[in-house]
Every structure is written in C-alpha cells, then in structure tokens.
Amino acid sequence: MLPSRRCDVSDNGLLSLRSTMAGTIVVVHIDGILDATTRDQFADHLDTEAEDHGPDMILDLGGVTFMDSRALGLIVHHWQRSTTAGGNFALVAVQYPSSKVMWVTGLSQRLPLFDTLDEALAAFAAEPRP
C-alpha cells in the first residue's frame, strides 16, 4: 500500500523527519542521527503526529545512521502510548549496525519490528479492533 500524498518535513541537517499517511495510519520516515542532539526534534515530531492523527503509527527507521538509548527510550514511550490508547505501532526497516542499542537492551525481541511497510500494514489490518 502506498502512502497518501500528505507530507510534513522537519530537517535540521542531522535528522530529517518526513511524515506521510497510509490510509489513517501516520508513517514517519526517519533519516539521520537519533541521539541527544536530535531528541527534541524527534520528540516534537512524534508528539505532533500522535496528536494530529491518533494512536496508529509506523516508524520507518531505514534511513537511521545512529540511534542512542535516549532515542530508543522515546520510541518505547510512543509504543506504550500508542498501545495504551488502543492503537497499533510498528518499526520498519530497522538496521542492526545503526540500531545496536535495540539488541543490546533486548528490546528488539519486544518491539513490533517488520522488514517492510507493507508487512507492518498487513499486521495492522489483521489486528482485531476493540
């Protein structure tokens, strides 16, 4: 399923965030560094998207070149926020070399990881709604 046309962009030179819609699901495409220097930009973008579009969210991490534990903590926060609100949350295209912290902490075994956007969207469609 191709995302719809809507696109919001946030770019500070270290991190570029682009949001599109796949139906009613916001997809945040992340390119660059997720660390202390970009945490506020990342947090603000995710908060805005969750407030504007509800709890369903997919983060495309295919363009992430580095992720630290603070960024991972923010991702976990949004995963919990989404699921607590009855939504679906997924990470796609996670690359081990740039996201080692996810494996070191064991969260790669708990977070909903998918290879592609289509796989995540299929999983969302298969989830029963309350």
Side-chain angles (χ1 to χ4, degrees):
M1 170 185 253
L2 293 175
S4 65
R5 204 172 81 80
R6 177 187 168 275
C7 186
D8 292 329
V9 177
S10 173
D11 188 343
N12 73 356
L14 296 174
L15 178 64
S16 176
L17 302 165
R18 180 175 53 92
S19 295
T20 58
M21 297 300 294
T24 60
I25 301 163
V26 67
V27 180
V28 179
H29 307 272
I30 304 159
D31 292 299
I33 298 169
L34 290 175
D35 67 4
T37 64
T38 59
R39 187 186 186 288
D40 289 344
Q41 175 192 2
F42 187 42
D44 290 347
H45 193 87
L46 294 182
D47 286 342
T48 298
E49 294 303 331
E51 290 166 12
D52 289 352
H53 302 290
D56 291 335
M57 183 178 288
I58 296 174
L59 303 183
D60 178 351
L61 301 177
V64 171
T65 56
F66 176 78
M67 178 190 305
D68 72 4
S69 60
R70 289 180 187 150
L72 181 57
L74 185 59
I75 289 170
V76 169
H77 167 75
H78 277 275
W79 169 48
Q80 292 170 334
R81 177 180 177 180
S82 178
T83 56
T84 299
N88 290 298
F89 184 89
L91 305 174
V92 300
V94 179
Q95 304 297 315
Y96 175 79
S98 57
S99 304
K100 289 179 188 172
V101 68
M102 205 175 291
W103 277 262
V104 170
T105 61
L107 286 168
S108 63
Q109 301 300 314
R110 302 207 48 209
L111 289 166
L113 305 178
F114 298 90
D115 289 335
T116 67
L117 177 58
D118 285 340
E119 290 175 6
L121 291 171
F124 281 22
E127 286 288 319
R129 288 293 191 168

Coordinates of all heavy atoms in Angstrom, one line a residue, residues 5-102:
R5 N -0.6 11.3 -0.2 CA 0.2 12.4 -0.6 C 0.7 13.3 0.5 O 1.8 13.9 0.4 CB -0.6 13.3 -1.6 CG 0.2 14.1 -2.5 CD -0.7 14.7 -3.6 NE -1.4 15.9 -3.1 CZ -0.9 17.1 -3.0 NH1 0.4 17.3 -3.4 NH2 -1.6 18.1 -2.6
R6 N 0.0 13.4 1.6 CA 0.4 14.3 2.7 C 1.8 14.1 3.1 O 2.3 13.0 3.3 CB -0.5 14.1 3.9 CG -0.2 15.0 5.0 CD -1.0 14.5 6.2 NE -0.5 15.1 7.4 CZ 0.5 14.6 8.1 NH1 1.1 13.5 7.8 NH2 0.9 15.3 9.2
C7 N 2.5 15.2 3.3 CA 3.9 15.1 3.7 C 4.4 16.3 4.5 O 4.3 17.4 4.1 CB 4.8 15.0 2.5 SG 6.5 14.7 2.8
D8 N 4.8 16.0 5.8 CA 5.3 17.1 6.6 C 6.8 16.8 6.8 O 7.2 15.6 7.1 CB 4.6 17.1 8.0 CG 3.2 17.5 7.9 OD1 2.9 18.3 7.0 OD2 2.4 17.0 8.8
V9 N 7.6 17.8 6.7 CA 9.1 17.6 6.8 C 9.7 18.4 7.9 O 9.3 19.6 8.1 CB 9.7 17.9 5.4 CG1 11.2 17.8 5.5 CG2 9.2 17.1 4.3
S10 N 10.6 17.8 8.6 CA 11.4 18.5 9.6 C 12.8 18.1 9.4 O 13.1 16.9 9.4 CB 10.9 18.1 11.0 OG 11.8 18.7 12.0
D11 N 13.7 19.1 9.2 CA 15.1 18.8 8.9 C 16.0 19.8 9.5 O 15.9 21.0 9.3 CB 15.3 18.8 7.4 CG 16.6 18.3 6.9 OD1 17.6 18.2 7.7 OD2 16.7 18.0 5.7
N12 N 17.0 19.3 10.4 CA 17.9 20.2 11.0 C 19.3 20.0 10.5 O 20.3 20.5 11.1 CB 17.8 20.2 12.5 CG 18.4 18.9 13.1 OD1 18.8 18.0 12.3 ND2 18.4 18.8 14.4
G13 N 19.5 19.2 9.5 CA 20.9 18.9 9.0 C 21.4 17.6 9.5 O 22.1 16.9 8.8
L14 N 21.1 17.2 10.7 CA 21.5 15.9 11.3 C 20.4 14.9 11.2 O 20.6 13.7 11.2 CB 21.8 16.1 12.8 CG 23.0 17.0 13.1 CD1 23.2 17.2 14.6 CD2 24.3 16.4 12.5
L15 N 19.1 15.4 11.2 CA 18.0 14.5 11.2 C 16.9 15.1 10.3 O 16.6 16.3 10.4 CB 17.4 14.3 12.7 CG 16.2 13.5 12.8 CD1 16.5 12.0 12.5 CD2 15.7 13.6 14.2
S16 N 16.4 14.2 9.5 CA 15.3 14.6 8.6 C 14.1 13.7 8.9 O 14.2 12.5 8.9 CB 15.7 14.5 7.1 OG 14.6 14.8 6.3
L17 N 13.0 14.3 9.2 CA 11.7 13.6 9.5 C 10.7 13.9 8.5 O 10.4 15.1 8.3 CB 11.3 13.9 10.9 CG 12.2 13.6 12.1 CD1 11.8 14.3 13.3 CD2 12.4 12.1 12.3
R18 N 10.1 12.9 7.9 CA 9.1 13.2 6.9 C 7.9 12.3 7.2 O 8.1 11.1 7.4 CB 9.6 12.8 5.5 CG 8.7 13.0 4.4 CD 9.3 12.7 3.0 NE 10.0 11.5 3.0 CZ 9.4 10.3 2.5 NH1 8.2 10.3 2.1 NH2 10.1 9.2 2.5
S19 N 6.7 12.8 7.3 CA 5.5 12.0 7.6 C 4.6 12.0 6.4 O 4.4 13.0 5.7 CB 4.8 12.7 8.8 OG 5.6 12.6 9.9
T20 N 4.1 10.8 6.2 CA 3.1 10.5 5.2 C 1.9 9.7 5.8 O 2.1 9.3 6.9 CB 3.7 9.7 4.0 OG1 4.2 8.5 4.4 CG2 4.8 10.6 3.3
M21 N 0.9 9.6 5.1 CA -0.3 8.8 5.6 C -0.4 7.6 4.7 O -0.4 7.6 3.5 CB -1.5 9.6 5.6 CG -1.5 10.9 6.5 SD -1.3 10.5 8.2 CE -2.8 9.6 8.6
A22 N -0.7 6.4 5.3 CA -1.1 5.2 4.7 C -2.5 4.9 5.2 O -2.7 4.3 6.2 CB -0.2 4.1 5.0
G23 N -3.5 5.5 4.5 CA -4.9 5.4 4.9 C -5.0 6.4 6.1 O -4.7 7.6 6.1
T24 N -5.3 5.8 7.3 CA -5.4 6.6 8.5 C -4.2 6.5 9.4 O -4.2 7.0 10.5 CB -6.7 6.2 9.3 OG1 -6.6 4.8 9.7 CG2 -8.0 6.4 8.5
I25 N -3.2 5.8 8.9 CA -2.0 5.5 9.7 C -0.9 6.4 9.4 O -0.5 6.5 8.2 CB -1.5 4.0 9.5 CG1 -2.7 3.1 9.9 CG2 -0.3 3.7 10.3 CD1 -2.5 1.7 9.4
V26 N -0.3 7.1 10.3 CA 0.8 8.0 10.1 C 2.1 7.2 10.0 O 2.3 6.3 10.8 CB 0.9 9.1 11.1 CG1 1.3 8.6 12.5 CG2 1.9 10.2 10.7
V27 N 2.9 7.5 9.0 CA 4.2 6.8 8.7 C 5.2 7.9 8.8 O 5.2 8.8 8.0 CB 4.2 6.1 7.4 CG1 5.6 5.4 7.2 CG2 3.1 5.1 7.2
V28 N 6.1 7.7 9.8 CA 7.2 8.7 10.0 C 8.5 8.1 9.4 O 9.0 7.1 9.9 CB 7.4 9.1 11.5 CG1 8.5 10.1 11.6 CG2 6.1 9.6 12.0
H29 N 9.0 8.7 8.4 CA 10.3 8.3 7.7 C 11.4 9.1 8.4 O 11.4 10.3 8.3 CB 10.2 8.6 6.2 CG 9.0 8.0 5.6 ND1 8.9 6.7 5.1 CD2 7.7 8.5 5.4 CE1 7.7 6.5 4.6 NE2 7.0 7.6 4.8
I30 N 12.4 8.4 8.9 CA 13.5 9.0 9.7 C 14.8 8.8 8.9 O 15.1 7.6 8.6 CB 13.5 8.4 11.1 CG1 12.1 8.5 11.7 CG2 14.6 9.0 11.9 CD1 11.9 7.5 12.9
D31 N 15.5 9.8 8.7 CA 16.8 9.8 8.1 C 17.8 10.6 8.9 O 17.6 11.8 9.2 CB 16.8 10.4 6.7 CG 16.0 9.6 5.7 OD1 16.3 8.4 5.5 OD2 14.9 10.1 5.2
G32 N 18.9 9.9 9.3 CA 19.9 10.6 10.1 C 20.2 10.0 11.4 O 20.0 8.8 11.7
I33 N 20.6 10.9 12.3 CA 21.0 10.5 13.7 C 19.9 10.7 14.7 O 19.3 11.8 14.8 CB 22.3 11.4 14.0 CG1 23.4 11.2 13.1 CG2 22.7 11.2 15.5 CD1 24.5 12.2 13.2
L34 N 19.7 9.7 15.5 CA 18.8 9.8 16.6 C 19.6 9.7 17.9 O 20.0 8.7 18.4 CB 17.8 8.7 16.6 CG 16.7 8.7 15.5 CD1 15.9 7.4 15.5 CD2 15.9 9.9 15.6
D35 N 19.9 10.9 18.5 CA 20.7 11.0 19.7 C 20.3 12.2 20.5 O 19.3 12.8 20.2 CB 22.2 10.9 19.4 CG 22.7 12.1 18.7 OD1 22.0 13.1 18.5 OD2 23.9 12.2 18.4
A36 N 21.1 12.6 21.5 CA 20.8 13.7 22.3 C 20.7 15.0 21.6 O 19.9 15.9 21.9 CB 21.8 13.8 23.4
T37 N 21.4 15.1 20.5 CA 21.4 16.4 19.7 C 20.1 16.5 18.9 O 19.7 17.6 18.5 CB 22.6 16.5 18.8 OG1 22.5 15.5 17.8 CG2 23.9 16.5 19.5
T38 N 19.4 15.4 18.6 CA 18.2 15.5 17.8 C 17.0 15.0 18.5 O 15.9 15.0 18.0 CB 18.4 14.6 16.5 OG1 18.6 13.3 16.9 CG2 19.5 15.1 15.6
R39 N 17.1 14.7 19.8 CA 16.0 14.1 20.6 C 14.8 15.0 20.6 O 13.6 14.6 20.4 CB 16.4 13.8 22.0 CG 15.3 13.0 22.7 CD 15.7 12.8 24.2 NE 14.6 12.0 24.8 CZ 13.4 12.4 25.2 NH1 13.0 13.6 24.9 NH2 12.6 11.5 25.8
D40 N 15.0 16.3 20.9 CA 13.9 17.2 21.0 C 13.1 17.4 19.7 O 11.9 17.4 19.6 CB 14.3 18.6 21.4 CG 14.8 18.7 22.9 OD1 14.4 17.7 23.6 OD2 15.4 19.6 23.3
Q41 N 13.8 17.4 18.6 CA 13.2 17.5 17.2 C 12.4 16.2 17.0 O 11.2 16.3 16.5 CB 14.3 17.6 16.2 CG 13.7 17.6 14.7 CD 14.8 17.5 13.7 OE1 16.0 17.4 14.0 NE2 14.4 17.4 12.4
F42 N 12.9 15.1 17.3 CA 12.3 13.8 17.1 C 11.0 13.7 18.0 O 9.9 13.3 17.6 CB 13.3 12.7 17.5 CG 12.8 11.3 17.2 CD1 12.1 11.0 16.0 CD2 13.1 10.2 18.0 CE1 11.7 9.7 15.8 CE2 12.7 8.9 17.8 CZ 12.0 8.6 16.6
A43 N 11.2 14.1 19.3 CA 10.1 14.0 20.3 C 8.9 14.9 19.8 O 7.8 14.5 19.8 CB 10.6 14.4 21.7
D44 N 9.3 16.2 19.4 CA 8.2 17.1 19.0 C 7.5 16.6 17.8 O 6.2 16.7 17.7 CB 8.8 18.5 18.7 CG 9.3 19.2 19.9 OD1 9.0 18.8 21.0 OD2 10.1 20.2 19.7
H45 N 8.2 16.0 16.8 CA 7.6 15.5 15.6 C 6.6 14.3 15.9 O 5.5 14.3 15.4 CB 8.7 15.1 14.6 CG 8.1 14.8 13.2 ND1 8.0 15.8 12.3 CD2 7.7 13.7 12.6 CE1 7.5 15.3 11.2 NE2 7.3 14.0 11.4
L46 N 7.1 13.4 16.7 CA 6.2 12.3 17.1 C 5.0 12.7 17.9 O 3.9 12.2 17.7 CB 7.0 11.2 17.9 CG 8.2 10.5 17.1 CD1 8.8 9.5 18.0 CD2 7.7 9.9 15.9
D47 N 5.2 13.6 18.8 CA 4.1 14.1 19.6 C 3.0 14.8 18.7 O 1.8 14.5 18.8 CB 4.5 15.1 20.7 CG 5.2 14.5 21.8 OD1 5.1 13.3 22.1 OD2 5.9 15.3 22.6
T48 N 3.5 15.6 17.8 CA 2.6 16.3 16.9 C 1.8 15.3 16.0 O 0.6 15.4 15.9 CB 3.3 17.3 16.0 OG1 4.0 18.3 16.8 CG2 2.4 17.9 14.9
E49 N 2.5 14.3 15.5 CA 1.8 13.3 14.6 C 0.8 12.5 15.4 O -0.3 12.2 15.0 CB 2.9 12.4 14.0 CG 3.8 13.1 13.0 CD 3.0 13.8 11.9 OE1 1.9 13.4 11.5 OE2 3.5 14.8 11.4
A50 N 1.2 12.1 16.7 CA 0.2 11.3 17.5 C -1.0 12.2 17.8 O -2.1 11.7 17.8 CB 0.9 10.9 18.8
E51 N -0.8 13.4 18.2 CA -1.9 14.3 18.5 C -2.8 14.6 17.3 O -4.0 14.7 17.4 CB -1.4 15.6 19.1 CG -0.8 15.5 20.5 CD 0.0 16.7 20.9 OE1 0.0 17.7 20.2 OE2 0.8 16.5 21.9
D52 N -2.2 14.7 16.1 CA -3.0 15.1 14.9 C -3.7 13.9 14.3 O -4.7 14.0 13.7 CB -2.0 15.7 13.8 CG -1.6 17.1 14.2 OD1 -2.1 17.7 15.2 OD2 -0.7 17.6 13.5
H53 N -3.1 12.7 14.5 CA -3.6 11.5 13.7 C -4.0 10.3 14.5 O -4.4 9.3 14.0 CB -2.6 11.1 12.7 CG -2.2 12.2 11.7 ND1 -3.1 12.7 10.8 CD2 -1.1 13.0 11.6 CE1 -2.6 13.7 10.1 NE2 -1.4 13.9 10.6
G54 N -3.9 10.4 15.8 CA -4.3 9.3 16.7 C -3.2 8.3 17.0 O -2.0 8.5 16.6
P55 N -3.5 7.2 17.6 CA -2.5 6.3 18.1 C -1.8 5.4 17.1 O -0.8 4.8 17.4 CB -3.3 5.4 19.1 CG -4.7 5.4 18.6 CD -4.9 6.7 17.9
D56 N -2.4 5.1 15.9 CA -1.7 4.3 15.0 C -0.5 4.9 14.4 O -0.6 6.0 13.8 CB -2.6 3.8 13.8 CG -3.7 2.9 14.3 OD1 -3.5 2.2 15.3 OD2 -4.8 2.9 13.7
M57 N 0.7 4.3 14.5 CA 1.9 4.9 14.0 C 2.9 3.9 13.5 O 3.1 2.8 14.2 CB 2.6 5.8 15.1 CG 3.8 6.5 14.7 SD 4.5 7.6 16.0 CE 3.3 8.9 16.0
I58 N 3.6 4.2 12.4 CA 4.7 3.3 11.9 C 5.9 4.2 11.8 O 5.8 5.3 11.2 CB 4.4 2.7 10.6 CG1 3.2 1.7 10.7 CG2 5.6 2.0 10.0 CD1 2.7 1.2 9.4
L59 N 7.0 3.8 12.3 CA 8.3 4.5 12.2 C 9.2 3.7 11.2 O 9.5 2.5 11.4 CB 9.0 4.6 13.5 CG 8.3 5.3 14.7 CD1 9.2 5.4 15.9 CD2 7.8 6.7 14.3
D60 N 9.5 4.4 10.1 CA 10.4 3.8 9.1 C 11.9 4.2 9.5 O 12.2 5.4 9.3 CB 10.1 4.3 7.7 CG 11.0 3.8 6.6 OD1 12.0 3.2 6.9 OD2 10.6 4.0 5.5
L61 N 12.6 3.3 10.0 CA 14.0 3.5 10.5 C 15.0 3.2 9.5 O 16.2 3.2 9.8 CB 14.2 2.8 11.8 CG 13.3 3.1 13.0 CD1 13.6 2.2 14.2 CD2 13.3 4.6 13.3
G62 N 14.7 3.0 8.2 CA 15.6 2.6 7.2 C 16.7 3.6 6.9 O 17.8 3.2 6.5
G63 N 16.5 4.8 7.2 CA 17.5 5.9 7.0 C 18.3 6.3 8.2 O 19.1 7.2 8.2
V64 N 18.1 5.6 9.3 CA 18.8 6.0 10.6 C 20.2 5.5 10.5 O 20.5 4.4 10.2 CB 18.1 5.3 11.8 CG1 18.9 5.5 13.1 CG2 16.7 5.9 12.0
T65 N 21.1 6.4 10.8 CA 22.5 6.1 10.7 C 23.1 5.8 12.1 O 24.2 5.2 12.2 CB 23.3 7.3 10.0 OG1 23.1 8.5 10.8 CG2 22.9 7.4 8.6
F66 N 22.4 6.3 13.1 CA 22.9 6.0 14.5 C 21.7 6.3 15.4 O 20.9 7.2 15.2 CB 24.0 6.9 14.9 CG 24.4 6.7 16.4 CD1 25.2 5.7 16.8 CD2 24.0 7.6 17.4 CE1 25.5 5.5 18.1 CE2 24.3 7.5 18.7 CZ 25.1 6.4 19.1
M67 N 21.5 5.4 16.5 CA 20.5 5.6 17.5 C 21.1 5.3 18.8 O 21.8 4.3 19.0 CB 19.4 4.5 17.2 CG 18.3 4.6 18.3 SD 17.1 3.3 18.2 CE 16.5 3.4 16.6
D68 N 20.8 6.2 19.8 CA 21.3 6.0 21.1 C 20.2 5.6 22.0 O 19.0 5.5 21.6 CB 22.1 7.3 21.7 CG 21.2 8.4 22.0 OD1 19.9 8.3 21.9 OD2 21.7 9.5 22.4
S69 N 20.5 5.4 23.3 CA 19.5 4.9 24.2 C 18.4 5.9 24.5 O 17.2 5.5 24.8 CB 20.1 4.4 25.6 OG 20.8 5.5 26.2
R70 N 18.7 7.2 24.4 CA 17.6 8.2 24.6 C 16.6 8.1 23.6 O 15.4 8.2 23.8 CB 18.2 9.6 24.7 CG 19.0 9.8 26.0 CD 19.6 11.2 26.0 NE 20.5 11.3 27.1 CZ 21.5 12.1 27.1 NH1 21.8 12.8 26.1 NH2 22.3 12.1 28.2
A71 N 17.0 8.0 22.3 CA 16.1 7.8 21.2 C 15.3 6.6 21.3 O 14.1 6.6 21.1 CB 16.9 7.9 19.9
L72 N 15.9 5.5 21.7 CA 15.2 4.2 21.9 C 14.2 4.4 23.0 O 13.0 3.9 22.9 CB 16.2 3.1 22.3 CG 15.5 1.7 22.5 CD1 14.7 1.3 21.2 CD2 16.6 0.7 22.8
G73 N 14.5 5.1 24.1 CA 13.5 5.3 25.2 C 12.3 6.1 24.6 O 11.2 5.9 25.1
L74 N 12.6 7.1 23.8 CA 11.5 7.8 23.2 C 10.6 6.9 22.3 O 9.4 7.0 22.3 CB 12.0 9.0 22.4 CG 11.0 10.0 21.8 CD1 10.2 10.6 22.8 CD2 11.8 11.0 21.0
I75 N 11.2 6.0 21.5 CA 10.4 5.1 20.7 C 9.6 4.2 21.6 O 8.4 4.0 21.3 CB 11.4 4.3 19.8 CG1 12.0 5.2 18.7 CG2 10.7 3.1 19.2 CD1 13.1 4.6 17.9
V76 N 10.2 3.7 22.7 CA 9.4 2.9 23.6 C 8.3 3.6 24.2 O 7.2 3.1 24.4 CB 10.4 2.3 24.7 CG1 9.6 1.6 25.8 CG2 11.3 1.3 24.1
H77 N 8.5 4.9 24.6 CA 7.4 5.7 25.1 C 6.3 5.8 24.1 O 5.1 5.7 24.5 CB 8.0 7.1 25.4 CG 6.9 8.1 25.7 ND1 6.2 8.2 26.9 CD2 6.4 9.1 24.9 CE1 5.3 9.2 26.8 NE2 5.4 9.8 25.6
H78 N 6.5 6.0 22.9 CA 5.5 6.2 21.9 C 4.8 4.8 21.6 O 3.6 4.8 21.3 CB 6.0 6.9 20.6 CG 6.0 8.3 20.7 ND1 4.9 9.1 20.5 CD2 6.9 9.2 21.2 CE1 5.1 10.4 20.8 NE2 6.4 10.4 21.2
W79 N 5.6 3.8 21.7 CA 5.0 2.4 21.5 C 4.0 2.2 22.6 O 2.8 1.8 22.4 CB 6.1 1.4 21.6 CG 5.7 -0.1 21.7 CD1 4.7 -0.7 21.0 CD2 6.3 -1.0 22.6 NE1 4.7 -2.0 21.4 CE2 5.6 -2.2 22.3 CE3 7.3 -1.0 23.5 CZ2 5.9 -3.4 23.1 CZ3 7.6 -2.1 24.2 CH2 6.9 -3.3 24.0
Q80 N 4.3 2.5 23.9 CA 3.4 2.3 25.0 C 2.2 3.3 24.9 O 1.1 2.9 25.2 CB 4.2 2.6 26.3 CG 5.2 1.5 26.6 CD 6.1 1.8 27.8 OE1 6.4 3.0 28.1 NE2 6.7 0.8 28.4
R81 N 2.5 4.5 24.5 CA 1.4 5.5 24.4 C 0.4 5.0 23.3 O -0.8 5.1 23.5 CB 2.0 6.8 23.9 CG 1.1 7.9 23.7 CD 1.8 9.2 23.3 NE 1.0 10.3 22.9 CZ 1.4 11.5 22.5 NH1 2.7 11.7 22.4 NH2 0.5 12.4 22.2
S82 N 0.9 4.5 22.2 CA 0.0 4.0 21.1 C -0.8 2.8 21.6 O -2.0 2.8 21.4 CB 0.9 3.6 19.9 OG 0.1 3.1 18.9
T83 N -0.2 1.8 22.2 CA -0.9 0.6 22.5 C -1.8 0.9 23.7 O -2.9 0.3 23.7 CB 0.1 -0.5 22.9 OG1 1.0 -0.1 23.9 CG2 0.9 -1.0 21.6
T84 N -1.5 1.7 24.6 CA -2.4 2.1 25.7 C -3.6 2.8 25.2 O -4.7 2.5 25.8 CB -1.7 3.0 26.7 OG1 -0.5 2.3 27.3 CG2 -2.6 3.5 27.8
A85 N -3.5 3.5 24.1 CA -4.7 4.2 23.5 C -5.4 3.3 22.6 O -6.4 3.7 21.9 CB -4.2 5.5 22.8
G86 N -5.0 2.0 22.5 CA -5.7 1.1 21.6 C -5.3 1.1 20.2 O -5.9 0.5 19.3
G87 N -4.1 1.7 19.9 CA -3.6 1.8 18.6 C -2.6 0.7 18.3 O -2.2 -0.1 19.1
N88 N -2.1 0.7 17.1 CA -1.0 -0.1 16.6 C 0.2 0.7 16.4 O 0.2 1.8 16.0 CB -1.4 -0.8 15.3 CG -2.5 -1.8 15.4 OD1 -2.4 -2.8 16.1 ND2 -3.7 -1.5 14.8
F89 N 1.4 0.0 16.6 CA 2.6 0.7 16.5 C 3.6 -0.3 15.9 O 3.6 -1.5 16.2 CB 3.1 1.1 17.9 CG 4.4 1.9 17.9 CD1 4.4 3.3 17.8 CD2 5.6 1.3 18.0 CE1 5.6 4.0 17.8 CE2 6.8 2.0 18.0 CZ 6.8 3.4 17.9
A90 N 4.5 0.2 15.0 CA 5.4 -0.7 14.4 C 6.7 0.1 14.0 O 6.6 1.3 13.7 CB 4.8 -1.4 13.1
L91 N 7.8 -0.7 13.9 CA 9.0 -0.2 13.4 C 9.4 -1.0 12.1 O 9.2 -2.2 12.1 CB 10.2 -0.3 14.4 CG 9.9 0.2 15.8 CD1 11.1 -0.1 16.7 CD2 9.8 1.8 15.7
V92 N 9.8 -0.3 11.1 CA 10.1 -1.0 9.8 C 11.5 -0.6 9.4 O 12.0 0.5 9.7 CB 9.1 -0.7 8.7 CG1 7.7 -1.2 9.0 CG2 9.1 0.7 8.2
A93 N 12.1 -1.5 8.7 CA 13.5 -1.4 8.1 C 14.6 -1.0 9.1 O 15.5 -0.3 8.8 CB 13.4 -0.3 7.0
V94 N 14.5 -1.7 10.3 CA 15.5 -1.4 11.3 C 16.8 -2.1 10.9 O 16.7 -3.3 10.6 CB 15.0 -2.0 12.7 CG1 16.0 -1.8 13.8 CG2 13.7 -1.3 13.1
Q95 N 17.9 -1.4 11.0 CA 19.2 -1.9 10.6 C 20.0 -2.1 11.8 O 20.2 -1.2 12.6 CB 19.9 -1.0 9.6 CG 19.1 -0.7 8.4 CD 18.8 -1.9 7.5 OE1 19.7 -2.7 7.3 NE2 17.6 -2.1 7.1
Y96 N 20.5 -3.3 12.0 CA 21.3 -3.6 13.2 C 22.5 -2.7 13.4 O 22.7 -2.2 14.5 CB 21.8 -5.1 13.2 CG 22.7 -5.4 14.4 CD1 22.2 -5.7 15.6 CD2 24.1 -5.5 14.2 CE1 23.0 -5.9 16.7 CE2 24.9 -5.7 15.2 CZ 24.4 -6.0 16.5 OH 25.2 -6.2 17.5
P97 N 23.3 -2.4 12.4 CA 24.5 -1.6 12.6 C 24.2 -0.2 13.2 O 25.0 0.3 14.0 CB 25.1 -1.5 11.2 CG 24.7 -2.7 10.5 CD 23.3 -2.9 11.0
S98 N 23.1 0.4 12.8 CA 22.8 1.7 13.3 C 21.9 1.7 14.5 O 21.7 2.8 15.1 CB 22.2 2.5 12.2 OG 21.0 1.9 11.7
S99 N 21.4 0.6 14.9 CA 20.4 0.5 16.0 C 20.8 -0.6 17.0 O 19.9 -1.3 17.5 CB 19.0 0.2 15.4 OG 18.6 1.2 14.5
K100 N 22.1 -0.8 17.2 CA 22.6 -1.9 18.1 C 22.0 -1.8 19.4 O 21.7 -2.8 20.1 CB 24.1 -1.8 18.2 CG 24.8 -2.2 17.0 CD 26.3 -2.1 17.2 CE 27.0 -2.3 15.8 NZ 28.4 -2.0 15.9
V101 N 21.7 -0.6 19.9 CA 21.1 -0.4 21.3 C 19.8 -1.2 21.4 O 19.5 -1.7 22.5 CB 21.0 1.1 21.6 CG1 19.9 1.7 20.7 CG2 20.7 1.3 23.0
M102 N 19.1 -1.4 20.4 CA 17.8 -2.1 20.4 C 18.1 -3.6 20.7 O 17.3 -4.2 21.5 CB 17.1 -2.0 19.1 CG 15.6 -2.2 19.2 SD 14.8 -1.9 17.6 CE 15.0 -0.1 17.4

